[in-house]
Amino acid sequence: EPEVTQTPSHQVTQMGQEVILRCVPISNHLYFYWYRQILGQKVEFLVSFYNNEISEKSEIFDDQFSVERPDGSNFTLKIRSTKLEDSAMYFCASRGDGSSYEQYFGPGTRLTVT
Amino acid sequence: GENVEQHPSTLSVQEGDSAVIKCTYSDSASNYFPWYKQELGKRPQLIIDIRSNVGEKKDQRIAVTLNKTAKHFSLHITETQPEDSAVYFCAASRGGSYIPTFGRGTSLIVHP
């Protein structure tokens, strides 16, 4: 069964540094998402992406964040200048088409900002 | 925006017992309600979902009920097994974006 993949599994970075988290969604999916989960808390929506543009974003997704689909397979989340409070698990998800409700989550990238 | 409340935060049961997790939502336009199971350090995985045009759905030992009037929905797990131990998240979303708003999660512990 096809799965969403994410790299790296764990990223440690210093405050103020830029990080790029990578995702490969399921190949025929059209909708892409990033979520974050601070340790012990609920999953929070960051941004959705469709047809090569952001379709919706949350208050968390400020100017420090950006997303890109640089080619036909990768979907990236960039944090320009990391803060301590950006430490969290970041999940990518993808969804098939407009008639499909289910989102498939990747295994996550644990980001630790020191 | 949507607000999802989930109870209890922790649920401890004996193997073979039933477990019930309850959620309420605030946006009457929400029409899709997935439930996710998340094992420690792993991705959320969809275990069952329900759309607003039905009141109940079952899949083996798992069932979900939806009361649109009261804006609440519940997850029922029967004959619990130790491998059911995980954090369970309910979520609510509306048509179009289907972006789920998650509840805070219930840590289910099934004692052998």
Side-chain angles (χ1 to χ4, degrees):
Chain A
E1 186 177 337
E3 287 189 333
V4 177
T5 59
Q6 288 184 244
T7 53
S9 56
H10 191 190
Q11 173 93 47
V12 182
T13 190
Q14 288 192 324
M15 200 166 51
Q17 295 297 303
E18 175 183 286
V19 294
I20 297 176
L21 310 183
R22 291 183 167 80
C23 169
V24 179
I26 294 173
S27 63
N28 60 346
H29 282 189
L30 302 177
Y31 297 83
F32 314 112
Y33 307 85
W34 283 101
Y35 296 86
R36 80 169 185 193
Q37 186 179 32
I38 295 170
L39 187 64
Q41 297 188 24
K42 66 178 177 178
V43 177
E44 299 174 291
F45 166 72
L46 293 178
V47 65
S48 61
F49 194 86
Y50 170 72
N51 201 26
N52 287 318
E53 61 182 22
I54 290 174
S55 48
E56 201 163 331
K57 59 183 181 180
S58 72
E59 294 174 350
I60 303 168
F61 193 87
D62 61 21
D63 292 343
Q64 292 300 310
F65 292 88
S66 62
V67 289
E68 203 174 39
R69 188 155 162 82
D71 52 43
S73 59
N74 291 284
F75 180 50
T76 62
L77 175 70
K78 182 193 291 186
I79 309 175
R80 289 191 183 82
S81 178
T82 50
K83 308 183 190 73
L84 293 176
E85 54 264 36
D86 293 328
S87 295
M89 183 74 95
Y90 288 81
F91 292 103
C92 172
S94 68
R95 178 165 72 94
D97 57 28
S99 65
S100 169
Y101 294 70
E102 182 177 354
Q103 294 189 24
Y104 294 81
F105 282 77
T109 293
R110 179 164 297 286
L111 177 64
T112 302
V113 182
T114 61
Chain B
E2 176 65 275
N3 182 46
V4 177
E5 298 288 339
Q6 182 172 349
H7 300 282
S9 56
T10 305
L11 180 58
S12 185
V13 300
Q14 287 296 128
E15 184 176 0
D17 287 350
S18 294
V20 180
I21 302 170
K22 298 182 179 182
C23 291
T24 59
Y25 61 99
S26 61
D27 186 352
S28 56
S30 289
N31 59 0
Y32 175 62
F33 307 91
W35 285 88
Y36 290 88
K37 175 183 180 182
Q38 187 179 30
E39 295 175 8
L40 191 63
K42 297 196 174 178
R43 75 187 81 192
Q45 291 201 296
L46 182 74
I47 55 170
I48 195 167
D49 57 11
I50 191 166
R51 301 179 193 182
S52 59
N53 57 346
V54 297
E56 184 175 359
K57 184 177 177 181
K58 281 185 182 179
D59 182 3
Q60 299 183 336
R61 296 187 296 108
I62 295 173
V64 58
T65 58
L66 171 65
N67 183 327
K68 281 204 71 180
T69 304
K71 296 208 277 287
H72 66 69
F73 56 114
S74 301
L75 177 72
H76 304 251
I77 306 174
T78 58
E79 299 170 28
T80 53
Q81 300 165 4
E83 50 265 38
D84 294 330
S85 297
V87 178
Y88 291 80
F89 291 96
C90 65
S93 64
R94 54 161 70 188
S97 66
Y98 294 109
I99 294 169
T101 299
F102 287 85
R104 291 195 170 276
T106 296
S107 177
L108 175 64
I109 303 163
V110 181
H111 299 280

